[in-house]
């Protein structure tokens, strides 16, 4: 091999090396011992939106109006790198005028030229800003999920403790509690699915379907989406009404029916939901002589849970219930 | 029971508020009606001074911190009944030092903690 061939080989390898470096998406710099940029790759120019002419030959800390003059980076170049051959994943956070706040992992390696023992410095940047943001989001989501799960247990405990025990057998208590537990579980399933569909109709259908299609009629109004906090109270109200209908109302004889309808109205720029529950052809109804947890649960769920109101009317034809609640339009 | 301490309950989940309310009343306390949000609690505190408070931390996505700060400024002792663990509360100095009985508190632990808070121990 003559000298000509060697030069040619070196040049082509140089071109290859340049090609490899340029295909790296991570920004990369080579600095001379004085900290001036010998070369930068395409990833560097694109990530930091700078041009070649403003970069090569200049000191790293003067680049882009001193945007690289970051104390952590200065410390890395002047103190850490001279004492070690390589640094991996050194975290630097800074505000860059063109691309905003960024968190980067900086890796550096000293390169020694075999012919003259001079050193240059290879610096690789990995932008982990998005990854860090995702991690933060994930942590928040995890905390929310934990919070929600514990709330759910608290709600179930409350229902277990509040469900009436007096004058009941253990079986009656268990059935009353499990019915409410079921209403919470179904609400949670609907809340988690959180599809864009009208979830009021899903809840209504879920609550009534066990009675059989011939026992109820739903006249739906406009699609209504309840917010997350409203799904469970609505589910509990419907559960209590259905249970009540089985025990004393329209589902307790053979010919009784429930008719549920809803509509919405606009009041002072807010959308109000009105639900009408009407029992027909059931046995004659009278207001209960003592109010148990069931009626309190309906009331609390409407007022505190839905942020609305509820009215129960014991009409000669059957129970009539009017529920109002603010909803998202 | 007019001398019984009056307790402010700040809790957005109405069934959990009901449970707190029931347990506190059974133990002889008077409960100011449960308040579900920060605004409501601050409004109440401008007009009333409870003897102690029990706070949930996350009120439908809103942190209870301003209420805790107001209570501290009024020298009203408070405890937390929150599903958050200590690590979640670290960033909020006013919450960090409060006793947290958790969300699935044992009744006797809740009452003992509240009593300690009232006695300033």
């Amino acid at each position: 091999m003559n000298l000509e061939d060697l030069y040619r080989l070196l040049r082509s390898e140089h071109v290859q090396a340049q090609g490899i470096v340029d295909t790296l998406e991570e920004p990369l710099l080579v600095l001379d011992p004085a900290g001036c940029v010998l070369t930068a790759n395409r990833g560097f120019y694109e990530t930091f939106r700078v041009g070649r002419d403003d970069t090569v030959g200049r000191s790293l800390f003067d680049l882009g109006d001193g945007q690289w003059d970051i104390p952590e980076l200065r410390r890395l170049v002047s103190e850490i790198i001279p004492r070690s051959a390589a640094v991996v994943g050194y975290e630097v956070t800074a505000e860059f005028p063109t691309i905003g706040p960024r968190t980067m992992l900086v890796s550096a390696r000293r390169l020694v030229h075999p012919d003259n023992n001079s050193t240059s410095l290879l610096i690789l940047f990995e932008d982990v800003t998005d990854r860090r943001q995702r991690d933060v989001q994930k942590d928040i989501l995890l905390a929310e999920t934990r919070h929600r799960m514990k709330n759910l247990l608290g709600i179930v405990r409350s229902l277990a403790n509040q469900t009436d025990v007096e004058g009941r057998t253990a079986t009656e208590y268990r059935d009353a509690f499990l019915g409410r537990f079921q209403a919470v579980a179904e609400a949670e399933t609907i809340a988690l699915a959180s599809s864009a569909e009208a979830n009021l109709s899903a809840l209504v259908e879920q609550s009534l379907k066990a009675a059989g299609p011939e026992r109820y009629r739903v006249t739906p109004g406009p699609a209504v989406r309840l917010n997350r906090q409203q799904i469970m109270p609505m589910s509990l109200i419907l559960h209590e009404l259905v249970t009540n209908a089985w025990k004393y109302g329209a589902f307790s004889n053979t010919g009784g029916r429930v008719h549920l309808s809803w509509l919405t109205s606009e009041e002072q720029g807010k959308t109000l939901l009105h639900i009408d529950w009407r029992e027909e052809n059931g046995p004659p109804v009278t207001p209960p002589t003592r109010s148990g947890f069931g009626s309190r649960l309906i009331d609390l769920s409407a007022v505190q849970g839905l942020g609305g109101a509820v009215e129960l009317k014991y009409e000669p034809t059957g129970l009539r219930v009017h529920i109002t609640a603010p909803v998202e339009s | 029971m007019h001398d019984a301490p009056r307790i402010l309950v700040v809790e957005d989940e109405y069934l959990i508020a009901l449970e707190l309310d029931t347990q506190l009343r059974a133990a002889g306390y008077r409960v100011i009606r449960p308040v579900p949000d920060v605004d409501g609690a601050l409004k109440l505190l401008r007009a009333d001074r409870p003897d102690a408070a029990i706070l949930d931390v996350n009120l439908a996505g809103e942190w209870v911190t301003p209420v805790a700060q107001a209570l501290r400024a009024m020298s009203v002792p408070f405890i937390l009944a929150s599903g958050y663990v200590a690590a979640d509360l670290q960033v909020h100095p006013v919450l960090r030092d409060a006793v947290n009985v958790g969300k699935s508190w044992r009744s006797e632990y809740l009452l003992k903690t509240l009593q300690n808070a009232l006695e300033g121990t």
Side-chain angles (χ1 to χ4, degrees):
Chain A
M1 186 192 284
N2 63 26
L3 216 51
E4 238 2 87
D5 290 338
L6 183 62
Y7 284 147
R8 201 176 303 123
L9 194 67
L10 277 175
R11 264 205 303 278
S12 68
E13 280 197 345
H14 171 75
V15 168
Q16 274 182 19
Q18 188 71 46
I20 291 165
V21 165
D22 271 348
T23 55
L24 286 176
E25 281 184 23
E26 284 78 23
L28 177 150
L29 283 180
V30 181
L31 304 183
D32 70 9
C36 284
V37 177
L38 290 171
T39 184
N41 74 339
R42 198 171 44 90
F44 185 87
Y45 297 130
E46 283 177 3
T47 304
F48 300 108
R49 298 189 202 143
V50 287
R52 190 175 190 284
D53 295 344
D54 304 322
T55 307
V56 173
R58 300 181 58 182
S59 160
L60 173 65
F61 301 117
D62 294 337
L63 293 184
D65 293 326
Q67 65 178 339
W68 289 100
D69 198 353
I70 305 159
E72 294 151 306
L73 201 59
R74 266 195 187 273
R75 201 173 145 252
L76 177 75
V77 171
S78 62
E79 290 175 36
I80 299 174
I81 290 170
R83 281 189 273 113
S84 52
V87 171
V88 175
Y90 180 87
E91 188 169 320
V92 172
T93 300
E95 174 85 30
F96 291 88
T98 46
I99 56 172
R102 294 276 130 177
T103 302
M104 265 169 294
L105 296 184
V106 181
S107 297
R109 184 171 189 89
R110 226 162 352 127
L111 304 172
V112 181
H113 292 264
D115 41 353
N116 60 4
N117 259 359
S118 71
T119 57
S120 49
L121 198 60
L122 176 71
I123 302 188
L124 262 164
F125 300 89
E126 188 186 359
D127 188 342
V128 292
T129 315
D130 292 347
R131 197 197 303 165
R132 287 289 143 85
Q133 270 168 0
R134 273 201 303 278
D135 287 350
V136 169
Q137 295 287 318
K138 220 183 277 174
D139 286 350
I140 292 172
L141 194 67
L142 200 67
E144 292 304 318
T145 307
R146 208 162 45 207
H147 177 251
R148 177 139 194 89
M149 212 179 70
K150 291 183 180 174
N151 256 356
L152 209 53
L153 289 175
I155 289 164
V156 170
R157 195 258 291 263
S158 176
L159 288 172
N161 203 24
Q162 301 286 336
T163 293
D164 297 306
V165 290
E166 281 184 34
R168 278 181 162 173
T169 66
T171 310
E172 283 166 345
Y173 167 81
R174 185 190 63 193
D175 291 349
F177 165 68
L178 283 181
R180 287 164 184 158
F181 174 81
Q182 191 65 29
V184 169
E186 284 167 4
E188 193 60 15
T189 306
I190 288 175
L192 284 175
S194 76
S195 63
E197 294 148 41
N199 51 27
L200 177 63
S201 42
L203 263 181
V204 165
E205 208 48 48
Q206 179 86 266
S207 309
L208 282 167
K209 70 179 177 201
E214 71 288 354
R215 302 301 299 267
Y216 69 94
R217 185 157 54 94
V218 176
T219 310
V224 169
R225 191 164 159 68
L226 301 166
N227 69 35
R228 249 188 108 76
Q229 283 82 28
Q230 289 178 316
I231 295 175
M232 197 197 60
M234 185 63 88
S235 177
L236 282 169
I237 293 173
L238 291 170
H239 164 77
E240 292 303 316
L241 292 177
V242 168
T243 306
N244 199 56
W246 280 110
K247 278 159 86 177
Y248 317 107
F251 294 156
S252 69
N253 66 5
T254 47
R257 280 162 62 99
V258 166
H259 181 199
L260 188 149
S261 62
W262 74 83
L263 49 89
T264 57
S265 67
E266 299 294 321
E267 270 159 52
Q268 290 154 356
K270 287 180 184 149
T271 307
L272 264 188
L273 165 69
H274 307 262
I275 297 180
D276 185 47
W277 168 285
R278 201 170 70 228
E279 297 184 21
E280 294 160 338
N281 298 328
V285 289
T286 48
T289 45
R290 60 175 278 277
S291 69
F293 177 58
S295 49
R296 189 151 182 229
L297 182 56
I298 292 177
D299 198 60
L300 283 175
S301 298
V303 176
Q304 296 180 13
L306 296 176
V310 63
E311 194 187 2
L312 278 73
K313 281 185 280 191
Y314 296 88
E315 294 181 352
T317 49
L319 176 67
R320 185 131 191 214
V321 183
H322 188 221
I323 304 161
T324 49
V327 290
E328 289 157 23
S329 41
Chain B
M1 291 293 280
H2 277 291
D3 299 318
R6 294 167 66 251
I7 312 298
L8 168 67
V9 171
V10 183
E11 165 63 64
D12 64 320
E13 198 59 71
Y14 66 102
L15 287 172
I16 296 173
L18 173 67
E19 185 69 1
L20 280 168
D21 184 88
T22 307
Q23 292 192 6
L24 293 175
R25 282 176 202 276
Y29 290 104
R30 289 180 288 165
V31 182
I32 306 174
R33 68 183 165 77
V35 184
D37 53 30
V38 168
D39 281 353
L42 291 178
K43 202 172 153 196
L44 189 143
L45 288 177
R46 279 195 288 272
D48 199 353
R49 187 185 186 282
D51 295 304
I54 301 179
L55 311 178
D56 182 20
V57 169
N58 181 328
L59 304 168
E62 192 182 15
W63 278 63
V64 79
T65 322
V67 179
Q69 281 162 343
L71 288 166
R72 175 156 298 178
M74 295 166 77
S75 303
V76 172
F78 62 87
I79 65 173
L80 307 178
S82 161
Y84 281 123
V85 293
D88 300 324
L89 304 173
Q90 279 307 310
V91 285
H92 299 266
V94 72
L95 301 179
R96 195 172 50 204
D97 305 327
V99 179
N100 182 6
V101 299
K103 200 107 238 187
S104 300
W105 66 85
R106 280 177 191 272
S107 190
E108 55 273 34
Y109 178 51
L110 170 82
L111 295 172
K112 181 79 194 138
T113 308
L114 181 62
Q115 200 187 330
N116 288 345
L118 279 161
E119 288 165 2
T121 55

